[in-house]
Amino acid sequence: MATYNNTYTYSSSQVLRQDVKQVNYITVAGGGGGARPNVGFGRSPNNGQDTRLNTTGLWSQGGRHGNLNSGGSGGYGNYSYGRNGQINYSGGQYQRAASGYGPYGSGGAGQWRSPSLTGGGGGGGASRSTYYRGSNGSIAGQRVYWTIGQGGTQGGNGNRRRGDNGAIYISQTTYDRPSASISASPTSIILGSSSTLSWSASGDINSVNVQPGIGNVSTSGSFSVSPNSTTTYTLQAINPAYTTSDSVTVTVLIPPQVNLTVDDPTLVLGESTTLRWQVTGDANQMTIDNGIGTSNLVGQQVITPTSTIVYTGTATGPGGTGSDTAVVTVLPPPTLSVSGPIVVGYEDPMPFSIEATNAPGGVSYVYSQVNTDGSTEAVTTPVTIPGSTGDLVNITDFEFTPVYDNFGPSSVTITFTANGYGGLLAQEVEVIPVNIDQTPNAIDIPSTE
């Protein structure tokens, strides 16, 4: 807080400071003129004039002029009255009635002729008032006007017998610029964590606030914040003339988020698909296992896994660690094992044991046969064996009976097929000879004589 003092002895004006806090005015009126001697020559004495602060109406009254054998009365002022003028003046022209404040506005001495024939004029009164910022007379940048009261003239003839002019004293008190400081610990956090703001402000302060979201605070303190995004916090120390600000930024780091996908999550052994990945958040490195390794944060790669596999992508960086997985299911090929007879007799059924895996389409068969006359017959439309569908097939009692007729068959060829995922097949061919007794029947001829 600073103070600026000015004194004016003439009518004028002044622009108040932009940082004004309050203004103290003292107005001093002019002093009255000295009395005229009894001899009757020369001019009549005059009163001192009022001094006015035109902007506010503050005023002080001028001193009255002296009279023969009596001094003039001092002027009115709410701060101080002017002193009355002297009578029986004999002390010389400088011995005057003082004004209510300071050296200005003194009453004039009477023109001396004899000790009993003159009287000095009264001093001017002084008024005082203080105006605070915002009130008329103490507005920042306001121009204030005043009128200085003139001193009254003496009676009679002669020089240096008038009252002194008045004056105005202006004392401006100003606001100091406050200080403000704010910090954060830590200045970088991962989303969901907290940082502590600490601040202090000093000086000529009316209010202190922290924005955004905190509001008015004391001149020093701390506060825990958990912003959802990078935020700049500003401390303001405020008075009517100045606002001092300081800021700190809390950087919010976003944890990495990994999106790992495959175009086709289910493959048949031997097929390929594309693995794709994208990383968001504050990450600077991406690693994918199962042979892919370190990669860019956005990318893709064609993969041909040989079995069901889980890919894990892990992203790391200032925001921490994030991961995601993608599963590729590889469907295995079917297997088939068929066990049948080595040979069967004519008209006998053919028993088989069948084991198969990964056969969602079941186990089917077609067959052909060779007859004894050299002809062939075939069934080419696959026939699915009941109960043969699934990932694990075990049939121990399957019987196949070919068409037996007068011509055979002499052998039967059966092709078994396990119908796997994605059109994959597993086959076994069984060739079963048929034992046909083609010798003539024995003829029993009875003996005769």
Side-chain angles (χ1 to χ4, degrees):
M1 186 166 59
T3 301
Y4 298 86
N5 297 315
N6 298 96
T7 300
Y8 298 93
T9 58
Y10 53 89
S11 298
S12 185
S13 64
Q14 179 183 359
V15 176
L16 300 181
R17 295 178 60 88
Q18 292 294 334
D19 56 355
V20 65
K21 185 174 185 178
Q22 66 182 50
V23 185
N24 181 264
Y25 298 99
I26 297 178
T27 59
V28 179
R36 182 172 60 180
N38 194 27
V39 295
F41 62 87
R43 58 183 174 269
S44 300
N46 294 330
N47 297 326
Q49 296 177 357
D50 299 342
T51 294
R52 295 183 180 273
L53 181 63
N54 301 331
T55 305
T56 66
L58 181 68
W59 70 280
S60 54
Q61 186 183 55
R64 307 295 93 183
H65 64 78
N67 293 303
L68 183 64
N69 296 326
S70 65
S73 58
Y76 165 81
N78 64 358
Y79 177 65
S80 181
Y81 288 87
R83 288 188 297 182
N84 294 333
Q86 298 180 3
I87 59 174
N88 296 325
Y89 173 76
S90 60
Q93 60 186 355
Y94 298 106
Q95 195 173 53
R96 308 183 182 190
S99 67
Y101 182 79
Y104 299 100
S106 299
Q111 185 175 4
W112 181 75
R113 286 292 179 269
S114 68
S116 61
L117 299 177
T118 58
S127 290
R128 178 175 183 171
S129 185
T130 299
Y131 297 87
Y132 296 94
R133 185 184 183 94
S135 60
N136 191 29
S138 186
I139 299 173
Q142 179 185 19
R143 181 175 290 277
V144 294
Y145 298 86
W146 57 84
T147 302
I148 300 297
Q150 301 298 305
T153 57
Q154 70 165 35
N157 295 323
N159 298 320
R160 304 173 73 180
R161 301 293 190 272
R162 62 174 291 124
D164 283 348
N165 291 341
I168 184 168
Y169 300 81
I170 301 177
S171 177
Q172 297 185 70
T173 301
T174 60
Y175 285 98
D176 289 336
R177 185 180 294 277
S179 64
S181 176
I182 188 171
S183 62
S185 179
T187 55
S188 294
I189 62 172
I190 295 176
L191 181 65
S193 301
S194 298
S195 177
T196 299
L197 301 178
S198 299
W199 65 85
S200 63
S202 60
D204 206 355
I205 296 174
N206 284 42
S207 65
V208 180
N209 70 77
V210 178
Q211 297 297 338
I214 298 176
N216 291 332
V217 295
S218 59
T219 55
S220 63
S222 61
F223 193 83
S224 179
V225 294
S226 299
N228 293 324
S229 59
T230 297
T231 302
T232 297
Y233 293 92
T234 300
L235 170 70
Q236 290 185 323
I238 303 170
N239 63 36
Y242 297 105
T243 296
T244 300
S245 301
D246 190 30
S247 299
V248 65
T249 298
V250 177
T251 301
V252 178
L253 302 173
I254 306 301
Q257 294 182 338
V258 180
N259 184 23
L260 193 65
T261 62
V262 288
D263 289 354
D264 188 349
T266 302
L267 303 177
V268 175
L269 182 65
E271 291 182 338
S272 299
T273 187
T274 300
L275 178 69
R276 304 178 189 273
W277 60 90
Q278 182 176 11
V279 179
T280 58
D282 292 301
N284 51 27
Q285 182 174 336
M286 174 67 171
T287 302
I288 303 175
D289 62 0
N290 292 314
I292 297 179
T294 301
S295 68
N296 295 329
L297 298 181
V298 177
Q300 64 185 53
Q301 183 165 321
V302 176
I303 55 174
T304 309
T306 58
S307 61
T308 297
I309 190 169
V310 178
Y311 290 94
T312 300
T314 302
T316 59
T321 301
S323 64
D324 192 19
T325 59
V327 179
V328 180
T329 300
V330 178
L331 302 176
T335 64
L336 180 62
S337 176
V338 179
S339 176
I342 297 175
V343 63
V344 297
Y346 185 74
E347 293 185 340
D348 289 338
M350 300 176 180
F352 292 93
S353 295
I354 302 172
E355 292 183 355
T357 61
N358 308 311
V363 178
S364 61
Y365 67 90
V366 296
Y367 73 95
S368 64
Q369 64 185 45
V370 179
N371 297 322
T372 57
D373 62 356
S375 63
T376 61
E377 297 179 26
V379 174
T380 59
T381 301
V383 177
T384 301
I385 299 172
S388 65
T389 301
D391 288 339
L392 184 61
V393 178
N394 187 5
I395 300 174
T396 60
D397 56 356
F398 175 67
E399 290 186 346
F400 173 74
T401 302
V403 178
Y404 290 106
D405 56 23
N406 293 332
F407 299 99
S410 61
S411 69
V412 177
T413 300
I414 304 176
T415 302
F416 293 93
T417 301
N419 298 282
Y421 294 103
L424 295 179
L425 304 175
Q427 289 185 331
E428 278 205 19
V429 178
E430 295 287 325
V431 180
I432 312 298
V434 178
N435 187 11
I436 302 176
D437 183 7
Q438 299 186 48
T439 60
N441 291 332
I443 301 173
D444 185 14
I445 300 174
S447 63
T448 62
E449 293 182 357

